[in-house]
Amino acid sequence: MTLTTVSQNKSHGGVQGVYRHASQETKTEMTFSVFVPPHADGTKLPVVWYLSGLTCTHANVTEKGEFRAACAELGLVFVAPDTSPRGDGVPGDPNNAYDFGLGAGFYVDATQEPFAKNYRMWSYVTEELPSVVAANFPVDPRRQSVMGHSMGGHGALTVALRNPSRYRAASAFSPIVAPSQVPWGEKALGGYLGADKAAWRKHDAVALIEDGARVSDLLVDVGDADQFLVQQLRPELLKAACEKANIPLLLRKQEGYDHSYYFISTYMADHLRWHAARLGR
């Protein structure tokens, strides 16, 4: 696997890098960022995966997430993939909508044409990219966790619920907890996976919990001023599902905060400390 370095900058004693490689899953070039904190030679570090939301690339959290000071303090590698394949020939939404197609891969492997060839974001973030990162960076594959925002919060929850032995912790900012029941999710899952809603359940955190998936605990923050809270996010559905399944859920509604990176950056270090406590076990 050939990895191209796009940029590297020293930060908080570590290195913030942006890298590019040819993906076998998406059949495109994929760009991602990795922050490696200061560490002794030969040390293998725990890794936190961050999945971004609609319209985002790796750059949004890399530039606005304010995670590096906490990662340097806690000794965490922080990896941020892109949210969809990109490039010539990659199909997008025919009406150029922001919530489907380019920038909106929804962390699924598409089965519907014309998306099936390139939109394999589930396999990319759970299999291919972890292999690339493990081969090129000082990470300990036994100590992984996952977090995300909005569409990426949906991705983080489903990734953790379907792989509980791989990820020691999962948290989310403003996640889409039940995409089968909200407009964003109905559009994306229908477009990528087809009309059979039974096929959607493995990409729906609430449905996964209803069907028996379990994790040790979850941390979720939402802002009570989030414009998408009522129609698209619906955290109360996750709360009800976790209560019924006896999954400890710390659901915090933060007063005055919206859906933006001003919100995420405010609570990022708090989430990373929560992850570090579980990754250190």
Side-chain angles (χ1 to χ4, degrees), residues 5 21 30 32 43 58 102 150 154 180 192 238:
T5 299
H21 72 113
M30 295 295 288
F32 63 98
T43 303
H58 71 282
L102 300 177
S150 193
H154 137 76
S180 300
Y192 294 133
L238 180 65

Side-chain angles (χ1 to χ4, degrees), residues 6 12 29 32 49 63 67 118 143 152-153 172 198 205 211 234 253 266:
V6 178
H12 295 278
E29 293 282 307
F32 63 98
W49 297 88
E63 296 170 3
F67 56 85
N118 304 115
R143 292 188 291 163
D211 292 345
R234 303 192 65 186
K253 190 171 287 187
T266 300

Side-chain angles (χ1 to χ4, degrees), residues 15-204:
V15 176
Q16 176 63 67
V18 177
Y19 308 93
R20 183 182 300 118
H21 72 113
S23 168
Q24 295 179 1
E25 289 292 345
T26 68
K27 309 296 188 294
T28 66
E29 293 282 307
M30 295 295 288
T31 302
F32 63 98
S33 75
V34 181
F35 176 71
V36 178
H39 62 284
D41 289 346
T43 303
K44 295 292 187 180
L45 302 168
V47 55
V48 178
W49 297 88
Y50 180 92
L51 305 184
S52 296
L54 289 167
T55 75
C56 291
T57 70
H58 71 282
N60 297 74
V61 69
T62 304
E63 296 170 3
K64 297 185 286 187
E66 298 184 21
F67 56 85
R68 279 172 287 271
C71 285
E73 172 194 340
L74 299 166
L76 301 174
V77 174
F78 190 97
V79 182
D82 202 345
T83 54
S84 79
R86 302 177 193 271
D88 293 341
V90 177
D93 185 274
N95 298 313
N96 295 317
Y98 75 94
D99 56 357
F100 187 77
L102 300 177
F106 250 81
Y107 305 103
V108 305
D109 286 346
T111 59
Q112 304 300 298
E113 297 302 334
F115 306 103
K117 175 183 176 181
N118 304 115
Y119 284 78
R120 295 187 54 80
M121 292 304 296
W122 177 269
S123 291
Y124 179 72
V125 300
T126 64
E127 299 296 337
E128 184 178 16
L129 187 57
S131 295
V132 172
V133 169
N136 290 278
F137 300 93
V139 299
D140 182 353
R142 300 167 300 175
R143 292 188 291 163
Q144 299 187 68
S145 68
V146 61
M147 65 192 303
H149 169 234
S150 193
M151 177 185 73
H154 137 76
L157 295 176
T158 56
V159 162
L161 285 161
R162 289 175 58 182
N163 299 277
S165 63
R166 185 191 304 181
Y167 301 97
R168 294 194 185 184
S171 73
F173 300 100
S174 313
I176 306 168
V177 304
S180 300
Q181 302 183 54
V182 301
W184 275 342
E186 290 173 343
K187 179 177 181 177
L189 298 182
Y192 294 133
L193 302 178
D196 181 6
K197 290 190 174 184
W200 301 6
R201 295 187 68 82
K202 65 181 181 179
H203 291 291
D204 182 309

Side-chain angles (χ1 to χ4, degrees), residues 249-269:
L249 167 66
L250 179 55
L251 174 61
R252 306 185 299 195
K253 190 171 287 187
Q254 305 293 359
E255 183 178 359
Y257 284 92
D258 57 19
H259 201 71
S260 72
Y261 268 89
Y262 295 107
F263 165 54
I264 296 166
S265 63
T266 300
Y267 294 99
M268 176 64 82

Side-chain angles (χ1 to χ4, degrees), residues 177 182 206 222 229-231 233-243 249 251 253:
V177 304
V182 301
V206 168
V222 297
L229 185 64
V230 174
Q231 186 178 31
L233 308 183
R234 303 192 65 186
E236 72 279 0
L237 297 179
L238 180 65
K239 180 180 179 182
C242 285
E243 287 176 350
L249 167 66
L251 174 61
K253 190 171 287 187

